[in-house]
Amino acid sequence: RRPKKTMEKVERYSWDQSAKAVTVYVSVEGDVEDVACDFEETAFALRVRVAGVTRELKVTSLCKAIDAAKSKVVRKSDRVQVKLVKQAPGEEWSDLRDDLDRAQASRSQRVESGDLKDASTTDLLADLYKNASDEDRARLKEAALEGHLKREREHSSSS
């Protein structure tokens, strides 16, 4: 017999932003027994207990800095909202985490002065594909197919 799980990782959430804040939405099924959230300049850890099980969402590298003292958690009937107050109002976040910004900065450095400095378009695209997420790869494949079909239509209409 397995012991009952008392801690689970939050796998699904959504987020949105305004000029002043980023809001993270976590859906909750059942009565919320307790909510706690720790805020740091570039991290937060949310814990929500429902039916004796604590669900945790921990983000250790936010895209940009937040004002931890002004950030807060709001309980709603069907969800918990984490309101992250931006340190720099008006600054646009590319994602909740800083992974995307770090990857773009690394790629820019490689294109400007690294191994991709004098690369051909084909090499740049191959590198982009190689380092893309599965979701981005699917979009790149779709764009390539659309481009191919467009060129075929243009070729057949000019013949």
Side-chain angles (χ1 to χ4, degrees):
R1 198 171 191 210
R2 287 185 159 176
K4 186 178 176 188
K5 240 182 166 179
T6 58
M7 180 69 95
E8 292 179 356
K9 185 177 175 184
V10 172
E11 300 288 342
R12 295 177 48 114
Y13 60 89
S14 60
W15 71 280
D16 194 8
Q17 66 181 308
S18 67
K20 295 180 181 179
V22 170
T23 305
V24 180
Y25 304 92
V26 178
S27 296
V28 178
E29 292 181 22
D31 294 327
V32 175
E33 298 165 6
D34 189 39
V35 175
C37 195
D38 299 319
F39 299 99
E40 295 177 22
E41 187 176 42
T42 57
F44 76 91
L46 170 71
R47 290 169 304 289
V48 180
R49 191 170 65 235
V50 177
V53 176
T54 300
R55 297 175 61 212
E56 183 178 55
L57 174 60
K58 189 183 270 190
V59 177
T60 57
S61 56
L62 289 168
C63 183
K64 308 283 183 193
I66 62 169
D67 185 332
K70 292 181 182 175
S71 296
K72 64 182 181 177
V73 151
V74 179
R75 282 166 80 160
K76 300 284 185 177
S77 61
D78 62 340
R79 69 183 178 270
V80 173
Q81 295 176 191
V82 179
K83 188 165 189 150
L84 306 169
V85 177
K86 295 178 177 180
Q87 261 190 18
E91 187 172 49
E92 193 76 17
W93 288 29
S94 60
D95 200 356
L96 185 61
R97 292 177 162 81
D98 72 350
D99 301 353
L100 184 60
D101 286 355
R102 282 189 294 134
Q104 286 177 336
S106 172
R107 181 170 170 77
S108 292
Q109 187 277 327
R110 290 175 61 214
V111 169
E112 290 170 18
S113 59
D115 62 317
L116 295 175
K117 185 173 184 192
D118 296 317
S120 68
T121 302
T122 302
D123 291 340
L124 290 170
L125 287 172
D127 180 74
L128 185 66
Y129 185 82
K130 180 179 127 195
N131 294 300
S133 67
D134 290 342
E135 188 177 296
D136 288 339
R137 275 194 194 105
R139 280 194 225 123
L140 287 168
K141 283 181 183 177
E142 189 177 311
L145 178 60
E146 286 175 18
H148 175 74
L149 294 173
K150 181 180 175 186
R151 285 188 299 279
E152 278 187 346
R153 284 192 301 273
E154 289 171 355
H155 179 71
S156 65
S157 66
S158 63
S159 310

